[in-house]
Amino acid sequence: NAQTIMEFTTAFNTFGVTEEDDEYRVGISLKSPTNFIYAHGNEGNVELDYHGGNNKGSRTLENLINPEAASMEDDGEASASAMKSTTLKSTKNAWMAHGILAFLAWGVCAPLAISAAVLRDLDWNKLPFKEFLAKFWLHAHAGLNSLNYIFTVVAFAVAVKNTSREMDDHFDHTHPRMGLSIFILVSFQVLGGFLRPNHLSKEAKSTLRKTWESVHHLLGVALFCMGVYQLYSGLSMYRERYSGVNTVFYIVLGALVFLWACIILGGSLYKLILYIRGGQKEKLTDITEKHGNEDGENDLNFKEEEVVENVDTDENEVI
């Protein structure tokens, strides 16, 4: 029908056909709109010719993953949608579920578990739930950490599944790499909690037990800090992608993190100070007892010498 059809092919940028340093990246996006511009010569002219003012235009190829959005629209109609990411609603909901699970794990369960361990033996009569923590802190600590691990595993699985669904590369930037690190480390932390070394007695701890406690405590706090970073970075990524996150979320999360930090870090610092003071008191007691024994022995020797001298004096007088 006297039409000239020109065809060309280009790869999807999801599969690595991009130049990071190139302003005009190569490839069609599978998730976001891709704009095409075109121009052609005058109708009926088979030679190279200037396109003029009317023989040019543009089209937008919408999200290929979303069948409802895979259409060709005029440039004017597509300009508004091109400003936003048009990902499938199902993937958006999956990322939202991922964030909620991560928040329950590292914004609720993990800090509560750490707080139960930190506050269990603080010498503070006004501490709420002091008697409960003294009796059941280990059950609360283990139970909350178990919930934290379950939420973390599910959140990790959702992220991996959703990334595959969007045909993105796995662990290609900081957030997913940090998530993978947390998943591995928290698995060791939970396993180590169940396989912890026993006490030698109620008063004595083995060197292995002391080492385990130090590693367990430091790793727990480190994981909490990593989890907080993930919450903020994930929230920022969601906001950048969907533009649906209000600043109030950042304020609430910041206030909650500040509260947990005060309880965990403040309680740990307080216990450290008490531990140092307790060690100093023990040393002082040992020194006092040592000097007291020495002084007692000196007094006893002195009194024995006095008795001997008195006896000698009495004998001389008698003589």
Side-chain angles (χ1 to χ4, degrees):
N1 55 359
Q3 289 184 347
T4 301
I5 299 177
M6 295 179 291
E7 296 182 354
F8 71 94
T9 59
T10 182
F12 296 111
N13 64 9
T14 306
F15 300 108
V17 189
T18 58
E19 296 292 340
E20 296 294 337
D21 299 329
D22 188 1
E23 181 180 359
Y24 305 98
R25 297 190 176 185
V26 181
I28 302 174
S29 174
L30 288 173
K31 297 179 297 180
S32 302
T34 301
N35 296 322
F36 291 87
I37 59 174
Y38 65 88
H40 58 81
N42 293 321
E43 186 177 354
N45 188 356
V46 297
E47 298 178 357
L48 291 177
D49 192 9
Y50 175 59
H51 53 74
N54 298 322
N55 299 329
K56 63 179 182 178
S58 65
R59 292 290 186 273
T60 299
L61 183 64
E62 289 293 334
N63 192 338
L64 293 179
I65 298 179
N66 187 353
E68 298 177 358
S71 62
M72 302 294 289
E73 299 181 2
D74 291 335
D75 186 50
E77 296 175 351
S79 59
S81 62
M83 300 297 294
K84 298 180 180 179
S85 176
T86 54
T87 311
L88 277 171
K89 185 177 181 180
S90 58
T91 59
K92 179 181 178 180
N93 291 339
W95 287 126
M96 183 181 296
H98 169 77
I100 293 173
L101 289 167
F103 173 76
L104 290 174
W106 299 102
V108 179
C109 292
L112 278 175
I114 298 174
S115 299
V118 170
L119 301 178
R120 71 184 189 273
D121 54 357
L122 286 183
D123 187 16
W124 187 20
N125 295 328
K126 296 182 180 180
L127 183 67
F129 311 111
K130 180 179 178 180
E131 294 182 359
F132 174 83
L133 287 177
K135 294 180 180 179
F136 304 107
W137 76 267
L138 184 58
H139 298 84
H141 182 74
L144 289 166
N145 274 329
S146 298
L147 284 176
N148 165 61
Y149 185 64
I150 293 172
F151 288 140
T152 300
V153 171
V154 177
F156 182 79
V158 170
V160 172
K161 178 65 176 179
N162 215 32
T163 302
S164 299
R165 186 176 186 181
E166 294 182 345
M167 302 181 71
D168 274 348
D169 293 331
H170 292 282
F171 315 116
D172 59 344
H173 57 279
T174 304
H175 185 83
R177 290 171 184 167
M178 182 72 77
L180 177 61
S181 301
I182 290 176
F183 174 72
I184 295 173
L185 291 175
V186 77
S187 298
F188 280 108
Q189 182 77 336
V190 172
L191 183 63
F194 286 105
L195 300 179
R196 62 188 181 277
N198 294 324
H199 290 275
L200 294 177
S201 64
K202 291 184 178 181
E203 293 79 14
K205 296 180 181 180
S206 64
T207 303
L208 181 60
R209 175 72 186 200
K210 292 179 180 179
T211 303
W212 176 87
E213 287 184 357
S214 299
V215 173
H216 187 74
H217 295 167
L218 291 175
L219 184 56
V221 175
L223 280 168
F224 170 68
C225 295
M226 294 168 68
V228 170
Y229 169 82
Q230 283 295 87
L231 292 178
Y232 272 103
S233 63
L235 194 61
S236 299
M237 290 172 61
Y238 189 89
R239 183 177 188 178
E240 180 181 353
R241 188 169 187 177
Y242 300 109
S243 303
V245 179
N246 197 289
T247 308
V248 176
F249 287 95
Y250 287 93
I251 297 175
V252 172
L253 181 59
L256 189 61
V257 169
F258 178 76
L259 173 64
W260 291 132
C262 289
I263 294 175
I264 295 172
L265 299 180
S268 299
L269 181 61
Y270 180 70
K271 291 180 70 173
L272 179 62
I273 293 174
L274 291 180
Y275 176 78
I276 294 174
R277 288 182 176 179
Q280 292 176 345
K281 287 181 179 180
E282 289 180 359
K283 290 182 180 179
L284 182 61
T285 302
D286 293 340
I287 293 173
T288 303
E289 290 178 353
K290 181 178 179 181
H291 283 289
N293 292 334
E294 292 178 352
D295 293 341
E297 292 177 358
N298 293 335
D299 291 342
L300 181 60
N301 294 333
F302 178 73
K303 289 179 180 180
E304 289 178 352
E305 290 176 357
E306 278 187 342
V307 171
V308 172
E309 289 178 356
N310 291 334
V311 170
D312 292 342
T313 303
D314 292 340
E315 290 179 353
N316 292 332
E317 289 178 355
V318 171
I319 293 172

